[in-house]
Amino acid sequence: MSEFLQQLLNGLSLGAIYALIALGYTMVYGVLRFINFAHSDVFMVGAFIGYYMGKLVPEGTLWGGLAVLGAAMIGCALLGMTIERLAYRPLRSAPTLNVLITAIGVSLLLEYTGQVFFGAAPRNFPAIFPVRNFSLGNVIISSNQVIVIVVSVVLMVVLQLIVYRTKIGTAMRAVSLNPKAAILMGVNNDVVISFTFGLGSALAAAGGILYALNYPSIDPLMGVMPGLKAFVAAILGGIGNIPGAALGGLILGTVETFVSGSQFSTYKDAIAFAILIIILLFRPAGLLGKFTVEKV
Amino acid sequence: MLTVTDLSVSYGAISALGGISFSIPQGSIVTLIGGNGAGKTTTLRTISGLLRAKTGKIEFLGEDITKLPAHKIVARGLSHVPEGRMIFSNLTVDENLAMGAYLLHDKELLAKNREYVFSVFPRLNERIKQMAGTLSGGEQQMLAIGRALMGSPKFLMLDEPSLGIAPRLISTIFEKIVEINRNHGITILLVEQNANLALEVSSSAYVLETGRIVMQGESKQLRTDPQLKATYLGG
C-alpha cells in the first residue's frame, strides 16, 4: 500500500510537470491550429534561465527559488512572444504545413543555439529551493515534490481564472472558436495570439524549473523527451482543451512512474505511447475533446 | 454616413465586385438585394475590413476606412453581423454579449447596452447562462444582432438575417430591425435574399447582379417595378 502511495505521489508530481508543458501546446493549438514544436525548447530555455539566475540568489531559500521561477517565466514569456512575432506571424495566411515546418526549424534553432551558448555537456542544476524530506508513515515526501505540486496547482488555478474570468481570456476562447467573428468584435487577434504564446511559454518555463529540480542535470536537448510526452498528454486530453491537457499530463506521468517501478521499467516510454494509441482508437478526439470534422 | 465609390474586389483572378458605388444616409435602412453570388456578402466583408478592396474607396463618417484593419473599423462604430451568424458556440450567451462589448470600457454604458439588448430580445435574458451553440437558429440570430448592439454601433450591417430561421421568427426579427433603427437611430445596411421582406422594411435599395449594381431607387417604387418583380419578387 505504501509503495502504491509513494509511486502515486511520484507520478502525480511528474504528471504535473507534463501538464504545465501540455497547456502551452494546447493553448497555441487552440488559437492557431498548429503544434508549436519549439515549445519543448522554450521549456529548456526556462531551465537554463533558472540555472543562471540561481547563481545570483542564495541557494536553498524559498524567496530565492520563487524569484528564479518568476524570472524564468518572464524570460520565456518574452521568448515565446518573440518567436511568434518573428517566425509564425508572417505565416498567418500560409498553409498549416508551412507553419509546422517552421516550428520544427525554430525548435532546432533553439536546441543548437543552446549548444553554442551553454555547451553540449550536461550541467548540474542548483538546489534553488530548500531541500527537506518529510515522512508520512512509509511514504516519503520530498520538499521538491511539494513545490512541484503546489506551484503547478497554483499556476493552473491562475490560468483557469485568466481564461474564464478575464476579458483577454474570453477573447482567447473567442479567437479559438471563430477568429473572423472575433475580429468583428474589435479584437486584435495578433495581440491575443501573442498573449497566448506568452502565457504558454511562461508555464513551460515553470515546468522547466520544476523538472530541473527533480532531475537536476540540464542540457540543451533536455526538452525533447518531456516535450514529446507533454505533446502526447495534450493529444490524450483532447488538443485545444485546457482541462484536457492537465488531465492528460497527470495520467501520463502517473502511468509512466508506475511502469518505471515495475519489472517493465525499460518499456516505460513505449507503454506511454501505446496508451496514447489505444485511447485515440476509442476516443479519436482525446479524453475531453469533442470530435469535430476539420472544415476545409 | 457611408459612401462607397467604385469598389472592386477579386478573389485571385476571379472578380467578385466590378466597381460599385452607393451611399447610405444617416438614420436610414438601405438594402442590398440580389441572387446567389451577386456579391452582397463580399460587399459587406470589404466594408468591415475582412476583405481588401482592389480599387475604390470606402468612407465612413467622412473618414477613409478602405485600408483600415477590421478591428479598427469596428472601433469607429461600424458593426457587421455576418452571414451564418458566427456566434461563439462554446461561449455562454452572456460571454457572447461581453465579446460584443469588447472595445467598450465604460461600465455604465455597458450595463445600459445590456439592458437595451434585453429589452429588444427578452429571450436572450432567459438564456443568459446557456451555451450559445444550444440556441435555436432564430435565437442565435437574435444573439448575433444583440452582440453587435453591445458595442454601441452607429452603423449596423446585417447579412441575411432571415437565413436558416423558422418562418415564424423571421417577421419578429425584421420587426426588431426596424425598431432598432427607429428607436435607437442606428443606420442599417441590410443584405437579403428575401427581396420582398427587405423592400418592405427599407427606404431605398440597390440591386446587385454578378458584382454590379443594375438597379437602384426607393424601395417603395422598386416593389412595383415589373422587371424586378419578375426576377426577385416571384412574379
Side-chain angles (χ1 to χ4, degrees):
Chain A
M1 187 61 195
S2 67
E3 196 197 323
F4 174 82
L5 286 176
Q6 182 73 58
Q7 292 288 45
L8 186 67
L9 181 72
N10 297 348
L12 288 178
S13 69
L14 177 64
I17 296 173
Y18 288 157
L20 285 179
I21 315 170
L23 287 165
Y25 280 112
T26 227
M27 286 195 292
V28 165
Y29 184 87
V31 293
L32 283 181
R33 295 289 182 275
F34 89 102
I35 304 296
N36 177 20
F37 284 110
H39 191 59
S40 57
D41 304 297
V42 172
F43 161 90
M44 173 273 292
V45 173
F48 271 94
I49 295 178
Y51 173 83
Y52 288 107
M53 289 301 291
K55 293 182 169 174
L56 303 179
V57 296
E59 254 187 43
T61 57
L62 190 62
W63 70 267
L66 290 176
V68 169
L69 184 71
M73 288 176 71
I74 292 168
C76 283
L78 294 175
L79 174 67
M81 286 156 88
T82 309
I83 292 172
E84 188 276 323
R85 181 69 191 83
L86 297 180
Y88 303 144
R89 194 178 297 179
L91 298 172
R92 201 74 93 219
S93 52
T96 311
L97 193 58
N98 302 19
V99 192
L100 270 179
I101 293 168
T102 306
I104 294 172
V106 174
S107 169
L108 293 173
L109 180 76
L110 287 175
E111 284 168 17
Y112 294 98
T113 312
Q115 291 201 341
V116 171
F117 284 103
F118 310 138
R123 293 170 186 235
N124 236 332
F125 194 78
I128 50 172
F129 281 102
V131 182
R132 206 173 299 160
N133 283 334
F134 311 95
S135 50
L136 218 75
N138 289 327
V139 181
I140 295 164
I141 307 172
S142 75
S143 54
N144 275 345
Q145 283 176 327
V146 176
I147 288 166
V148 167
I149 290 171
V150 170
V151 168
S152 319
V153 168
V154 168
L155 288 179
M156 282 184 224
V157 168
V158 169
L159 178 72
Q160 189 78 4
L161 290 176
I162 290 176
V163 172
Y164 288 94
R165 292 274 182 277
T166 65
K167 203 166 178 174
I168 185 93
T170 314
M172 270 171 72
R173 287 182 291 144
V175 170
S176 153
L177 287 168
N178 193 331
K180 266 206 185 108
I183 293 176
L184 291 180
M185 302 298 108
V187 176
N188 185 345
N189 288 12
D190 284 339
V191 170
V192 173
I193 289 167
S194 183
F195 179 78
T196 308
F197 269 86
L199 207 56
S201 303
L203 293 178
I209 300 280
L210 297 178
Y211 191 82
L213 281 177
N214 287 294
Y215 308 90
S217 159
I218 64 169
D219 68 85
L221 298 182
M222 67 177 278
V224 177
M225 210 50 199
L228 190 60
K229 296 273 178 57
F231 170 54
V232 168
I235 303 270
L236 192 65
I239 189 91
N241 184 310
I242 290 178
L247 180 68
L250 290 176
I251 291 178
L252 202 70
T254 312
V255 169
E256 190 184 314
T257 308
F258 273 104
V259 176
S260 312
S262 75
Q263 50 184 322
F264 304 110
S265 60
T266 26
Y267 298 110
K268 69 178 170 97
D269 293 342
I271 289 174
F273 294 120
I275 288 175
L276 171 76
I277 293 170
I278 292 166
I279 290 186
L280 290 187
L281 278 177
F282 292 101
R283 288 194 61 89
L287 290 171
L288 300 185
K290 278 203 202 81
F291 185 73
T292 48
V293 181
E294 282 277 332
K295 272 181 235 153
V296 252
Chain B
M1 180 167 225
L2 181 88
T3 313
V4 170
T5 322
D6 194 31
L7 184 70
S8 67
V9 179
S10 52
Y11 298 100
I14 302 153
S15 162
L17 285 181
I20 63 167
S21 302
F22 61 90
S23 70
I24 294 161
Q26 185 136 15
S28 61
I29 300 185
V30 174
T31 184
L32 213 55
I33 54 183
N36 265 333
K40 307 186 299 290
T41 297
T42 304
T43 307
L44 294 198
R45 289 191 166 178
T46 314
I47 295 172
S48 64
L50 289 179
L51 289 173
R52 286 282 154 234
K54 203 172 76 183
T55 62
K57 196 170 168 192
I58 304 163
E59 274 172 290
F60 181 64
L61 294 169
E63 183 192 4
D64 184 354
I65 60 164
T66 323
K67 291 196 169 63
L68 227 50
H71 66 270
K72 289 198 174 150
I73 293 178
V74 188
R76 302 288 192 274
L78 192 159
S79 197
H80 178 185
V81 180
E83 188 180 12
R85 308 181 282 264
M86 289 202 193
I87 50 148
F88 303 110
S89 51
N90 279 3
L91 260 53
T92 61
V93 168
D94 206 13
E95 288 172 328
N96 267 275
L97 293 177
M99 281 309 296
Y102 188 76
L103 295 173
L104 222 59
H105 297 293
D106 180 347
K107 286 248 164 71
E108 258 172 58
L109 186 58
L110 199 143
K112 218 179 98 195
N113 286 354
R114 254 172 83 96
E115 241 164 73
Y116 176 63
V117 169
F118 291 149
S119 76
V120 180
F121 301 117
R123 192 82 68 90
L124 294 180
N125 202 3
E126 294 162 24
R127 303 257 189 269
I128 194 79
K129 290 288 165 214
Q130 221 167 299
M131 287 289 162
T134 63
L135 300 181
S136 76
E139 289 166 343
Q140 291 190 8
Q141 187 63 57
M142 293 175 190
L143 178 58
I145 298 173
R147 185 177 66 173
L149 291 175
M150 285 297 291
S152 304
K154 300 183 183 99
F155 181 74
L156 202 57
M157 300 196 294
L158 301 169
D159 197 348
E160 303 269 8
S162 74
L163 200 74
I165 288 176
R168 182 171 54 82
L169 274 177
I170 292 179
S171 56
T172 316
I173 286 191
F174 273 77
E175 274 164 31
K176 299 299 183 184
I177 292 172
V178 174
E179 187 187 319
I180 290 163
N181 171 256
R182 288 222 184 107
N183 302 349
H184 225 64
I186 297 175
T187 312
I188 290 175
L189 172 57
L190 172 69
V191 155
E192 253 304 327
Q193 287 213 18
N194 188 336
N196 264 321
L197 210 52
L199 291 176
E200 217 169 281
V201 299
S202 59
S203 54
S204 60
Y206 292 85
V207 182
L208 216 53
E209 221 167 77
T210 57
R212 291 184 184 282
I213 289 173
V214 291
M215 207 183 282
Q216 66 189 74
E218 277 182 41
S219 302
K220 237 185 277 168
Q221 283 166 352
L222 287 178
R223 279 166 76 182
T224 55
D225 186 281
Q227 199 193 333
L228 194 73
K229 249 182 165 170
T231 329
Y232 296 106
L233 304 178

